[in-house]
C-alpha cells in the first residue's frame, strides 16, 4: 500500500501568528527601509526568513531543559552532548560554541592565515565572511550544474574534483590549510553532496596532505538525500550514513540551529588533538570555558536529544517532503524554482521570475519584498545583496543565481501554510510583467551588508 507520509508527531502547544493587510505591510516594509531583517516578527504572518533556530523542540528536548546541569566546569549536560556527538559523528574532540559562526571563528582562528585560500562548495556567507575577514580567499569549486536551476542533478552540492585538484596541485606555497565541504550546500540551494563525491574529495585531500572539514549544519538532511538518491544506501539507516559521511573528514563546524533541532547552539568536532588544543584557547577567549562554550547546560542537553531526533528517518522524511510539497505546488503553476528541491528550502529563480527588473536594481530582493507585501510571507534574498562587494575592487559581485529563499522551519508550519504560500506566489507570478523597477542601496555595511542594508524604492 502506498500511503502518503504523515508527521510522526502531534501538537502539544500552539503559538498564534498575526494576519495583517496589504496596506499595513506596504507601510511597514517602507519603514523597515525595504530590508526584511528590519521587520519585527509581529508584522510577519509566515516567517520563512530562515530555518535557523526557528524550529520546534520536542517534549523530550523540553524535558532535558529541566534537568540541565549548569555547572561551570564538567557539566553533565556537556558530557551527554560530547558523548552523543562522538556516537553520531565519530569525532573524539568536541568544543561547544554559541552558534555555527562562532565555531568557524574559533576553528579559523587556528587554521586560517592572511593570504590563504580555502577551497569548498559555495561557502556559506558567515564562512566566507570569516575567511575574508582574515584576508584569505574562499575558492568556490562547486560543480557547474549547481548554477543551472533547470537541470536535474541528484547532488548539486558536489565538489568539482578537477577544479579542487588543480587548486591543490598549484598550491606550491602552502596557501591551502584545509578544504571545507558544506553538507548540504546552503548557498547552492540546500543541495546535497553524495558519498561518492565526499570520498573523492577526501582522496584528493589525502593525496595533497590537506585536511578536510565539513560545514555540517544540515548533515542529517544530506544523509536523507544519500539514502533516497544514491545507489547502495537505500537499506542503510540515517545514522549509519551519517557515520560514513563523517568518516571521510578530519573535523566539522556545526550550526546546531539547523540539524541540531535547537534554537541556539553550535560546536566543533574533530580528530586532530593538536588543532583541538589550539582551538580551546580561542574557545575560552571568545565563547566560554570548554565545557559550555557560550551554551547553557540545559541547551546542551536539548541539543544532545535534538541530534538524535534529527538523524531519524521518519522525522527527515516529513521535513523534506513538506519542503518538496511546496516546491511541487509552485512547479505545477509554472513558477521557476531551483530543481531538484533543496532539503530545507525552496528557491525562487528571480532571473527567470522577474527578468524585467534590472540586475543592478536587486531583482531577487524586489521579489522578496513583493512576497511580503502580497502575503505577509518573509523570505530572504540570496543574490547580489548577499554576495556583497568584492573585498578588493568594492564593486558589486553579481552571482550567477539571483534567488529568493523560502526556508521552512523544522516541525513548525502545516501543509495548509504551504498551500497559502503557493497561492500568494501564483498571484504574484500572474502579474509579473508589471514589475519593472527594483531598489537602490542608500546605506550598507562593509561586510555581510544584507543584515543591515537600507534600500529605496525606484520608480519611473
Ligand atoms: C547557518 C549556517 C552557518 C552559520 O551558523 P550560525 O549558527 O547561523 O552562526 C554556517 N554554515 C552553514 C551551512 C549554515 O547553514
Amino acid at each position: 500500500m502506498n500511503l502518503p507520509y504523515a508527521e510522526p508527531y502531534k501538537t502539544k502547544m500552539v503559538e498564534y501568528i498575526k494576519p495583517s493587510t496589504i496596506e499595513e505591510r506596504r507601510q511597514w516594509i517602507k519603514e523597515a527601509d525595504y530590508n526584511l531583517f528590519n521587520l519585527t516578527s509581529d508584522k510577519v504572518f509566515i516567517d520563512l526568513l530562515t530555518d535557523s533556530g526557528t524550529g520546534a523542540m520536542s517534549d523530550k528536548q523540553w524535558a532535558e531543559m529541566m534537568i540541565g546541569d549548569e555547572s561551570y566546569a564538567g557539566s553533565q549536560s556537556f558530557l551527554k552532548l560530547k558523548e552523543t556527538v562522538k556516537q553520531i559523528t565519530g569525532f573524539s574532540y568536541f568544543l561547544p560554541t554559541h552558534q555555527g559562526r562562532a565555531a568557524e571563528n574559533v576553528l579559523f582562528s587556528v587554521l586560517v592565515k592572511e593570504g590563504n585560500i580555502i577551497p569548498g562548495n559555495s561557502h556559506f556567507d558567515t564562512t566566507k565572511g570569516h575567511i575574508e575577514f582574515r584576508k584569505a580567499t574562499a575558492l568556490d569549486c562547486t560543480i557547474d550544474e549547481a548554477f543551472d536551476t533547470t537541470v536535474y542533478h541528484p547532488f548539486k552540492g558536489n565538489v568539482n574534483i578537477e577544479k579542487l585538484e588543480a587548486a591543490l596541485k598549484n598550491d606550491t606555497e602552502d596557501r591551502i590549510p584545509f578544504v571545507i565541504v558544506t553538507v548540504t550546500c546552503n548557498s547552492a540551494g540546500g543541495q546535497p553532496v553524495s558519498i561518492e563525491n565526499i570520498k573523492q574529495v577526501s582522496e584528493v585531500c589525502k593525496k595533497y596532505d590537506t585536511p578536510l572539514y565539513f560545514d555540517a549544519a544540515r548533515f542529517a538532511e544530506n544523509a536523507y538525500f544519500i539514502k533516497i538518491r544514491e545507489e547502495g544506501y537505500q537499506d542503510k539507516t540515517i545514522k549509519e550514513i551519517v557515520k560514513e559521511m563523517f568518516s571521510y573528514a578530519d573535523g566539522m563546524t556545526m550550526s546546531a540551529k539547523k540539524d541540531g533541532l535547537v534554537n541556539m547552539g553550535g560546536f566543533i568536532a574533530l580528530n586532530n588533538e593538536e588543532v583541538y588544543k589550539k582551538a580551546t584557547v580561542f574557545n575560552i577567549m571568545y565563547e566560554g570555558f570548554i565545557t559550555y562554550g557560550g551554551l547553557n547546560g540545559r541547551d546542551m542537553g536539548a541539543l544532545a536529544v535534538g541530534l538524535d531526533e534529527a538523524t531519524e528517518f521518519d522525522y527527515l522524511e516529513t521535513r523534506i517532503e513538506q519542503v518538496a510539497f511546496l516546491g511541487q505546488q509552485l512547479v505545477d503553476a509554472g513558477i521557476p524554482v531551483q530543481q531538484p528541491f533543496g532539503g530545507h528550502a525552496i528557491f525562487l529563480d528571480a532571473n527567470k521570475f522577474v527578468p524585467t527588473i534590472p540586475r543592478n536594481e536587486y531583482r531577487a530582493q524586489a521579489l522578496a519584498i513583493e512576497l511580503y507585501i502580497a502575503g505577509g510571507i518573509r523570505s530572504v534574498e540570496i543574490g547580489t545583496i548577499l554576495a556583497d562587494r568584492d573585498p578588493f575592487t568594492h564593486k558589486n559581485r553579481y552571482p550567477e543565481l539571483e534567488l529568493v529563499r523560502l526556508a521552512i522551519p523544522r516541525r513548525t508550519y502545516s501543509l495548509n501554510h504551504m498551500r497559502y504560500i503557493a497561492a500568494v506566489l501564483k498571484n504574484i507570478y500572474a502579474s509579473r510583467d508589471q514589475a519593472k523597477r527594483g531598489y537602490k542601496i542608500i546605506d550598507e555595511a562593509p561586510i555581510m551588508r544584507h543584515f543591515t542594508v537600507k534600500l529605496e524604492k525606484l520608480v519611473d
Side-chain angles (χ1 to χ4, degrees), residues 111-119 130-139 171 173-177 392:
L111 298 177
V112 182
K113 305 275 177 293
E114 185 172 340
N116 279 178
I117 298 166
I118 322 292
H130 273 295
I131 291 169
E132 291 179 350
F133 184 72
R134 291 171 171 80
K135 298 193 165 57
T137 310
L139 177 68
D171 182 31
E173 295 162 56
D174 252 351
R175 291 168 72 195
I176 301 180
F392 302 104

Side-chain angles (χ1 to χ4, degrees), residues 139-157:
L139 177 68
D140 189 358
C141 299
T142 317
I143 56 168
D144 293 338
E145 287 90 332
F147 303 106
D148 186 339
T149 57
T150 55
V151 291
Y152 179 86
H153 188 294
F155 294 100
K156 279 188 172 177

Side-chain angles (χ1 to χ4, degrees), residues 381-432:
E381 189 247 27
I382 308 267
T384 305
I385 295 180
L386 181 77
D388 260 329
R389 290 177 191 276
D390 184 286
F392 302 104
T393 67
H394 298 288
K395 290 211 166 78
N396 264 337
R397 285 192 279 215
Y398 291 100
E400 290 195 47
L401 295 178
E402 290 277 0
L403 302 172
V404 173
R405 186 183 72 181
L406 312 172
I408 312 298
R410 295 168 179 77
R411 305 190 290 205
T412 304
Y413 292 111
S414 68
L415 279 189
N416 268 337
H417 290 119
M418 300 303 123
R419 291 191 185 96
Y420 171 89
I421 298 159
V424 172
L425 274 166
K426 281 179 213 172
N427 281 340
I428 298 174
Y429 194 60
S431 60
R432 66 191 182 281

Side-chain angles (χ1 to χ4, degrees), residues 99 110 117 361 404 409 415 451:
Q99 62 184 97
V110 178
I117 298 166
E361 295 182 10
V404 173
L415 279 189
F451 289 123

Side-chain angles (χ1 to χ4, degrees), residues 1-68:
M1 207 169 24
N2 208 358
L3 294 172
Y5 80 89
E7 289 78 356
Y9 47 76
K10 58 183 179 175
T11 307
K12 195 171 263 188
M13 188 186 279
V14 293
E15 174 184 346
Y16 275 89
I17 51 178
K18 272 204 194 118
S20 50
T21 66
I22 289 184
E23 290 69 37
E24 283 173 326
R25 293 191 292 266
R26 198 168 276 139
Q27 183 59 28
W28 290 337
I29 190 66
K30 187 174 176 213
E31 286 164 8
D33 296 309
Y34 296 101
N35 182 340
L36 292 150
F37 285 98
N38 284 341
L39 289 170
T40 53
S41 61
D42 57 338
K43 297 183 174 65
V44 176
F45 185 51
I46 297 182
D47 206 346
L48 309 183
L49 183 71
T50 175
D51 65 326
S52 179
T54 52
M57 293 211 299
S58 70
D59 52 352
K60 292 210 172 67
Q61 286 180 287
W62 280 106
E64 269 303 316
M65 299 292 280
M66 298 304 295
I67 56 169

